């Protein structure tokens, strides 16, 4: 009897609620996107962060096989692909596979995808399945909080084989923790456009156009709660980014439209970012408890609108009226938000050698001067979102927080950064930054396709290393960025330099080899950093510091499929699905109860 009861209790313990109770065969999947230009492939998905399970529904206009998986930046070989379809006799097939070459698939030894539904009608084949974020199968690529390159493919019959014309890769941020439908939309919403008007885009590769515009005039406090790009169809491919900077109310501002960083320095006034958009981004709505305050004496009345155009084809006669559309309301939120710009100060001391497989750059921020520069006590900063920005050589970014010399956490990162998908993202939980903390931005570049030096600068072929943190409550600090002692770096590379300009020029004299590239990277990290802190009123102060080491964040446990097997080369004991804590406690209580029963002779 005791043996039978033990088996019953053990089965109950193991039968813990599945993620598919929340993401089952018929549950609504909140996120969706077309994956191809012709809108043949439609993807829906949703996820359970606690269970670390993601569910997909792929709908394709075909009567043949369909496939969905994950790939990397450089090649589809090695990509994982879940394949399924419906045979003419009505039987279904479904398999977790991977690409062994450009078009040939092979079934994984471990089947880590769970089929939730597979149907075919006169128009569509629809496949729904779930998989863990990280399985123990080395052929499965992880689903992470980075940009994920989603691979979708299909065929016209039931023989799975990749065809370039029916294979598509799209970069998606899959683990978006807040869905716009979950946010409140105030009934009294007012729309206001901040836009450039009939601007003739120059025939130059790079143009930064700036103009100054008033924010909405309101008689009492309101909050901006959402923004989105306002792009003109015929010129949208030329618009690289749009930034809105708040101006201090003491600023004397110019009129008209001019080069942001040209002959007239007045057009570069105002440096506190309010909102920003870049290539690949869409609209963004702030969480329900934060907004951009307007309408009080402490709020900015004017902004600088900056639009970066990339006219690489030197097209003539293109006029543009792009900008940012903001949504605001009198229904006030709890917190006034701000944006803090971090990273490597953008000017030519920032360099990346040619032919680099990997090159790391660093920008340090030290916050101990924030209170003095703010003019008032600075409350702890609560960070809820972020925007990452590099140009074409960028491969990864991260912001790391330190307190009292000890690494505290990685605030945000993307190890699979895609220049064509730059969007404001929400953090899964809010991060607190205290006065005195240090913030380090690390940017990872690759320049294998370049035989020339890449320097920091405004052009798309120059580079940047920036992270914008969205936070509350707002203060007057607009940016905090660092750069290394370039004279020290030049000397370490065997070049003579007595000032910063000579140090920059010396980089062109270095014979760049894998060894000298690593030597330069090491010297940049060892060099003392100058930290530049700027306020909304253009007050600037400098301090210095040193780059701390970054301790990598360990990956979590992998999950073995139920009923599948781990590949032979994956022998780690962490590969087994671990019981939830509640189940472990239930088993322990069951064993204690069973022991007591045996001792009493039951």
């Amino acid at each position: 009897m005791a043996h039978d009861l033990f088996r019953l209790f053990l089965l109950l313990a193991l039968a813990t609620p599945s993620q598919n109770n929340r993401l089952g065969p018929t549950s609504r999947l909140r996120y969706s996107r077309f994956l191809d230009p012709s809108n043949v492939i439609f993807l829906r998905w949703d996820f359970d962060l606690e269970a670390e399970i993601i569910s997909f529904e792929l709908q394709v206009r075909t009567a043949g096989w369909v496939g969905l998986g994950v790939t990397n930046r450089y090649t589809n070989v090695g990509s994982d692909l879940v394949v399924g379809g419906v045979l003419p006799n009505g039987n279904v097939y479904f398999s977790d596979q991977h690409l062994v070459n450009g078009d040939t698939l092979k079934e994984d030894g471990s089947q880590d995808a769970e089929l939730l539904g597979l149907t075919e009608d006169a128009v569509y084949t629809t496949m729904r399945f779930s998989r863990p974020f990280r399985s123990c199968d080395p052929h499965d690529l992880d689903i992470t909080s980075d940009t994920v390159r989603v691979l979708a493919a299909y065929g016209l019959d039931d023989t799975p084989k990749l065809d370039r014309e029916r294979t598509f890769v799209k970069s998606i941020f899959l683990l978006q923790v807040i869905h716009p439908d979950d946010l409140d939309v105030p009934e009294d919403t007012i729309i206001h456009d901040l836009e450039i008007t009939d601007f003739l885009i120059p025939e130059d590769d790079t143009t930064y156009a700036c103009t100054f515009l008033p924010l909405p005039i309101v008689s009492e406090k309101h909050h901006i709660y959402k923004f989105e790009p306002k792009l003109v169809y015929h010129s949208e491919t030329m618009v690289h980014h749009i930034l809105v900077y708040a101006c201090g109310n003491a600023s004397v501002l110019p009129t008209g439209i001019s080069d942001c960083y040209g002959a007239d320095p007045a057009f570069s006034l105002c440096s506190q970012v309010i909102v920003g958009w870049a290539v690949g981004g869409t609209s963004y709505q702030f969480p329900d408890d934060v907004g951009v305050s307007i309408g009080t004496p402490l709020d900015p009345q004017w902004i600088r609108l900056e639009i970066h155009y990339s006219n690489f084809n030197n097209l003539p006669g293109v006029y543009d009226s792009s900008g940012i559309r903001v949504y605001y309301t009198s229904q006030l939120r709890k917190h006034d938000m701000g944006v803090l710009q971090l990273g490597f100060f953008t000017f030519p001391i920032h360099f990346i050698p040619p032919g680099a497989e990997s090159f790391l750059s660093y920008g340090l921020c030290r916050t101990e001067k924030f209170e003095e520069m703010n003019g008032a006590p600075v409350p702890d900063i609560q960070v809820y979102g972020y925007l990452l920005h590099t140009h074409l050589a960028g491969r990864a970014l991260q912001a790391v927080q330190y307190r009292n010399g000890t690494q505290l956490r990685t605030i945000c990162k993307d190890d699979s950064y895609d220049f064509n998908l730059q969007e404001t993202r929400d953090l899964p939980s809010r991060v607190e930054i205290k006065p005195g903390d240090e913030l380090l931005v690390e940017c990872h570049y690759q320049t294998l396709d370049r035989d020339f030096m890449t320097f920091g600068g405004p052009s798309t072929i120059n580079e940047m290393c920036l992270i914008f943190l969205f936070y509350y409550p707002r203060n007057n600090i607009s940016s905090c960025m660092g750069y290394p002692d370039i004279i020290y770096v030049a000397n370490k590379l065997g070049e003579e330099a007595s000032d910063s300009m000579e140090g920059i020029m010396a980089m062109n004299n270095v014979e760049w080899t894998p060894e000298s590239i690593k030597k330069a990277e090491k010297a940049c990290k060892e060099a003392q950093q100058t930290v530049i802190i700027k306020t909304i009123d253009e007050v600037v102060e400098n301090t210095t510091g040193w780059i701390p080491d970054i301790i990598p964040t360990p990956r979590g446990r992998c999950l073995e499929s139920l009923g599948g097997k781990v590949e032979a080369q994956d022998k780690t004991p962490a590969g087994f699905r671990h019981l939830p804590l509640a189940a472990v406690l239930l088993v322990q209580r069951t064993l204690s109860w069973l022991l007591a029963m045996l001792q009493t002779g039951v």
Side-chain angles (χ1 to χ4, degrees):
M1 176 181 173
H3 179 69
D4 291 338
L5 284 172
F6 172 71
R7 289 187 63 195
L8 174 61
F9 272 87
L10 188 59
L11 286 171
L12 288 172
L14 293 175
T16 52
S18 165
Q19 73 281 351
N20 292 330
N21 290 340
R22 193 174 84 80
L23 300 176
T26 60
S27 60
R28 173 177 169 264
L29 304 183
R30 295 175 298 162
Y31 302 92
S32 61
R33 194 156 305 177
F34 282 104
L35 301 183
D36 68 307
S38 301
N39 293 347
V40 171
I41 306 174
F42 187 62
L43 177 66
R44 294 184 179 91
W45 77 94
D46 209 336
F47 51 88
D48 186 326
L49 281 176
E50 184 177 353
E52 296 190 352
I53 296 290
I54 188 165
S55 292
F56 295 105
E57 183 178 277
L58 185 69
Q59 186 179 71
V60 186
R61 288 207 301 263
T62 185
W65 69 274
V66 299
L68 182 76
V70 180
T71 187
N72 63 46
R73 176 190 295 270
Y74 304 106
T75 176
N76 287 343
V77 175
S79 305
D80 71 77
L81 197 70
V82 175
V83 173
V86 181
L87 295 169
N89 63 7
N91 291 336
V92 302
Y93 55 95
F94 177 81
S95 178
D96 184 4
Q97 306 193 19
H98 62 276
L99 272 164
V100 294
N101 57 40
D103 60 2
T104 304
L105 290 159
K106 181 181 179 182
E107 187 172 278
D108 293 357
S110 174
Q111 292 296 295
D112 299 287
E114 180 181 352
L115 180 62
L116 303 177
L118 190 46
T119 61
E120 181 184 300
D121 58 25
V123 180
Y124 299 106
T125 294
T126 303
M127 177 175 68
R128 185 163 178 154
F129 67 94
S130 65
R131 57 153 287 181
F133 289 178
R134 182 178 178 231
S135 80
C136 299
D137 183 349
H139 293 303
D140 290 343
L141 301 183
D142 293 352
I143 303 292
T144 68
S145 57
D146 303 326
T147 297
V148 176
R149 286 167 174 80
V150 175
L151 173 67
Y154 70 97
L156 303 180
D157 56 27
D158 290 303
T159 304
K161 189 178 178 69
L162 262 66
D163 180 333
R164 181 175 296 182
E165 293 183 359
R166 287 183 282 276
T167 302
F168 303 91
V169 176
K170 192 174 187 69
S171 290
I172 304 177
F173 179 49
L174 289 173
L175 302 185
Q176 179 181 344
V177 292
I178 298 178
H179 191 281
D181 291 348
D182 300 332
L183 299 171
D184 294 334
V185 178
E187 294 180 356
D188 67 340
T189 295
I190 305 169
I191 295 175
H192 183 81
D193 290 336
L194 301 165
E195 60 187 5
I196 208 163
T197 304
D198 293 330
F199 175 69
L200 177 61
I201 300 175
E203 298 173 37
D204 301 324
D205 291 350
T206 299
T207 300
Y208 276 74
C210 277
T211 190
F212 295 87
L213 301 169
L215 282 167
I217 299 173
V218 289
S219 58
E220 59 182 4
K221 182 171 180 172
H222 285 61
H223 269 135
I224 296 172
Y225 70 89
K226 178 182 176 181
F227 67 90
E228 63 188 18
K230 187 172 183 289
L231 303 174
V232 177
Y233 174 75
H234 65 270
S235 58
E236 63 180 341
T237 58
M238 298 185 192
V239 180
H240 170 280
H241 76 240
I242 306 174
L243 290 173
V244 176
Y245 297 90
C247 296
N249 292 334
S251 303
V252 178
L253 305 175
T255 59
I257 304 172
S258 187
D259 186 342
C260 304
Y261 308 105
D264 187 349
F267 277 89
S268 64
L269 289 173
C270 312
S271 57
Q272 188 173 60
V273 174
I274 300 179
V275 296
W277 171 92
V279 175
T282 56
S283 64
Y284 177 71
Q285 185 167 333
F286 305 127
D288 289 338
D289 59 342
V290 300
V292 177
S293 178
I294 58 174
T296 81
L298 297 177
D299 297 329
Q301 299 174 19
W302 286 76
I303 59 94
R304 172 165 65 96
L305 179 69
E306 172 186 295
I307 303 182
H308 175 188
Y309 296 99
S310 294
N311 186 3
F312 285 121
N313 295 320
N314 307 120
L315 298 176
V318 179
Y319 287 84
D320 185 54
S321 296
S322 294
I324 293 286
R325 171 166 289 175
V326 297
Y327 296 73
Y328 65 99
T329 175
S330 62
Q331 298 179 29
L332 299 183
R333 274 95 192 289
K334 185 176 180 180
H335 304 291
D336 297 340
M337 61 149 287
V339 179
L340 177 63
Q341 182 176 335
L342 305 174
F344 198 125
F345 193 78
T346 304
F347 70 142
I349 281 181
H350 187 195
F351 72 90
I352 300 120
E357 173 73 34
S358 172
F359 191 82
L360 299 177
S361 296
Y362 300 92
L364 180 66
C365 168
R366 302 188 66 188
T367 67
E368 76 271 10
K369 282 182 172 282
F370 277 18
E371 192 161 296
E372 172 192 338
M373 296 185 66
N374 189 56
V378 176
D380 294 344
I381 291 173
Q382 308 295 325
V383 180
Y384 66 85
Y386 61 96
L387 173 66
L388 311 177
H389 183 66
T390 75
H391 289 173
L392 297 173
R395 295 295 181 265
L397 302 88
Q398 64 174 328
V400 184
Q401 179 184 10
Y402 300 82
R403 184 172 297 158
N404 301 322
T406 301
Q407 181 174 323
L408 206 58
R409 61 172 64 88
T410 298
I411 299 173
C412 57
K413 73 175 186 66
D414 192 340
D415 288 333
S416 301
Y417 176 80
D418 187 340
F419 172 82
N420 293 305
L421 184 66
Q422 301 181 52
E423 55 190 356
T424 304
R425 297 175 176 177
D426 296 296
L427 290 172
S429 59
R430 297 182 181 182
V431 170
E432 183 175 79
I433 298 174
K434 291 181 175 294
D437 287 356
E438 289 190 341
L439 308 173
L440 178 64
V441 173
E442 178 190 74
C443 292
H444 178 194
Y445 300 96
Q446 186 186 86
T447 56
L448 290 174
D449 59 342
R450 300 187 182 190
D451 58 4
F452 53 89
M453 285 292 297
T454 300
F455 290 103
S459 171
T460 306
I461 61 171
N462 296 139
E463 264 308 331
M464 292 186 175
C465 174
L466 301 174
I467 293 182
F468 300 88
L469 297 183
F470 290 68
Y471 72 91
Y472 65 85
R474 181 186 70 189
N475 58 53
N476 291 325
I477 307 300
S478 58
S479 62
C480 181
M481 296 185 285
Y483 64 89
D485 179 354
I486 192 68
I487 300 173
Y488 173 89
V489 176
N491 292 340
K492 281 291 184 179
L493 293 171
E495 300 292 332
E496 293 185 3
S498 58
D499 58 35
S500 294
M501 183 57 69
E502 287 185 1
I504 295 169
M505 298 304 294
M507 297 304 109
N508 290 309
N509 301 328
V510 176
E511 181 181 349
W512 292 111
T513 64
E515 292 74 23
S516 61
I517 288 170
K518 283 301 173 188
K519 192 173 183 180
E521 180 184 273
K522 183 173 183 289
C524 287
K525 186 179 179 184
E526 291 175 346
Q528 186 178 57
Q529 285 247 329
T530 297
V531 180
I532 302 176
I533 307 167
K534 185 182 284 190
T535 73
I536 188 173
D537 294 314
E538 307 298 320
V539 176
V540 179
E541 286 205 23
N542 295 351
T543 185
T544 58
W546 304 91
I547 300 298
D549 289 331
I550 296 176
I551 302 170
T553 303
R555 295 198 303 171
R557 289 185 176 183
C558 59
L559 298 182
E560 185 187 357
S561 63
L562 296 176
K565 65 176 182 179
V566 179
E567 294 282 356
Q569 61 265 42
D570 187 22
K571 300 177 188 284
T572 170
F576 293 94
R577 184 186 296 273
H578 56 285
L579 289 176
L581 179 60
V584 172
L585 294 175
L586 181 55
V587 170
Q588 289 174 343
R589 287 196 297 268
T590 303
L591 291 173
S592 298
W593 174 85
L594 178 60
L595 182 60
M597 291 298 101
L598 291 173
Q599 288 173 342
T600 57
V602 175

